[in-house]
Amino acid sequence: PRFLLVFDFDETIVDENSDESVVRGRALPEALRQSPRGGSYNEHMQRVLAFLGEQGVRPADLRAAYENIPLSPGMAELFQFLSKHQELFELVLISDANTFGIEAKLRAAGVRSLFRKIFSNPASFDRRGVLTLGPYHSHKCLECPANMCKRKILGEYLAERAREDVEFQRVLYVGDGANDFCPAGTLTAADVAFPRKGYPMHRLIQESQEKQPGAFQAAVVPWESAAEVARYLQELLRR
C-alpha cells in the first residue's frame, strides 16, 4: 500500500456520536444523563452500559442500535472508491468509542473487510448480557483523555509497520474531534489532514495555524461530505 488512511468513527464515519445513539429514547437517571466534567468519559460510559444491561437492554438491542446509526454524508461513496483501490490504501480506525459498536456498524455497512486494524476501547458481553467497557491503554499525553491517546496509537502503528518493511508515501487522517487534533499534529508536510468542517478538529487546526503559522505541517482539506475526500484521493492517484 502507498497510503495509510486513518479514520475516526463517531461523527466521522457515522453521522452521530454512537454513545448517544445507544441511549436515545431510554430513560437514564439524572446522575447518568450528563457526561462528567473533568471526570473520565470512558468510566461514565461503563456506568451507562451497566445501567442499560440492568434495565434489560439485550445484546441484540444494542447491536441494532449501532447498526442503525446513519453513515456521514458521502461516506458510502468514499468506501466505494476505497474498495476499488484496496491495493493502494491501508485503512485503520482509531476511535474512543468501543470495539463492539464499531464492528457491528462496519459489518452492517459491508465495509469491515476494508480495515486492517481497529483500535478502540475493548467491549464485550459478560455472563449477564451486560456490555462491559474498558480503557484502551494508559499514556502520558496531557492533551488526551486518560484511556486513549490517538497520537500514541498512530505512532506505534507506524513503527510496527516500518519493522515489517512497510513505509507509506503519505499518511491521510480523516476525523472531527479534539482527540483527532493530537495525532494530526504529528503529520508531516507530505501528509493530509481531513477535518470535518466546523467540528473541533477543524477549529483547533485553524487556531494553531493562526497562532503559529507552519507549526501544523500537513495539508488541510476540510470536508462536509466524504465524497470530497474521495475526490481528493482520486486527484492524488492521478498525480
Side-chain angles (χ1 to χ4, degrees), residues 3-15:
F3 307 108
L4 178 67
L5 186 49
V6 183
F7 278 94
D8 169 50
F9 183 68
D10 289 319
E11 297 183 294
T12 298
I13 288 178
V14 290
D15 207 18

Side-chain angles (χ1 to χ4, degrees), residues 9 13 49 58 61 72 77-78 92 99 108 130 140 146 158-159 176 179 191 199 201 224 239:
F9 183 68
I13 288 178
L49 292 167
R58 304 275 46 93
D61 304 328
S72 290
E77 203 174 312
L78 174 55
V92 297
T99 51
V130 173
K140 296 188 172 73
L158 287 169
D176 77 289
N179 63 354
D191 303 328
Y199 282 71
M201 179 189 181
E224 279 176 353
R239 276 181 226 160

Side-chain angles (χ1 to χ4, degrees), residues 87-227:
E87 72 292 351
L88 297 174
F89 295 95
E90 180 165 300
L91 272 59
V92 297
L93 194 156
I94 309 177
S95 164
D96 198 6
N98 70 75
T99 51
F100 173 78
I102 291 169
E103 295 268 359
K105 180 61 204 174
L106 295 183
R107 288 208 163 84
V111 296
R112 175 61 186 91
S113 62
L114 294 179
F115 288 87
R116 184 172 184 270
K117 275 298 261 278
I118 290 171
F119 300 95
S120 190
N121 301 302
S124 58
F125 291 97
D126 67 13
R127 286 197 309 272
R128 301 164 302 159
V130 173
L131 186 59
T132 61
L133 180 64
Y136 179 75
H137 61 183
S138 59
H139 60 83
K140 296 188 172 73
C141 175
L142 301 175
E143 307 298 315
C144 289
N147 63 298
M148 177 173 284
C149 170
K150 294 185 175 187
R151 174 193 291 237
K152 184 180 185 200
I153 295 169
L154 178 58
E156 286 172 355
Y157 185 75
L158 287 169
E160 177 194 316
R161 294 302 274 144
R163 286 193 297 274
E164 293 160 356
D165 289 325
V166 178
E167 297 276 358
F168 300 101
Q169 279 179 21
R170 289 168 205 242
V171 177
L172 313 160
Y173 194 108
V174 187
D176 77 289
N179 63 354
D180 296 310
F181 176 67
C182 182
T186 65
L187 301 178
T188 68
D191 303 328
V192 188
F194 295 95
R196 193 170 182 182
K197 224 177 248 183
Y199 282 71
M201 179 189 181
H202 187 206
R203 267 200 314 277
L204 289 165
I205 291 173
Q206 288 174 317
E207 283 166 19
S208 99
Q209 286 172 325
E210 283 161 22
K211 254 192 251 161
Q212 254 186 310
F216 191 89
Q217 292 183 29
V220 181
V221 181
W223 58 280
E224 279 176 353
S225 163

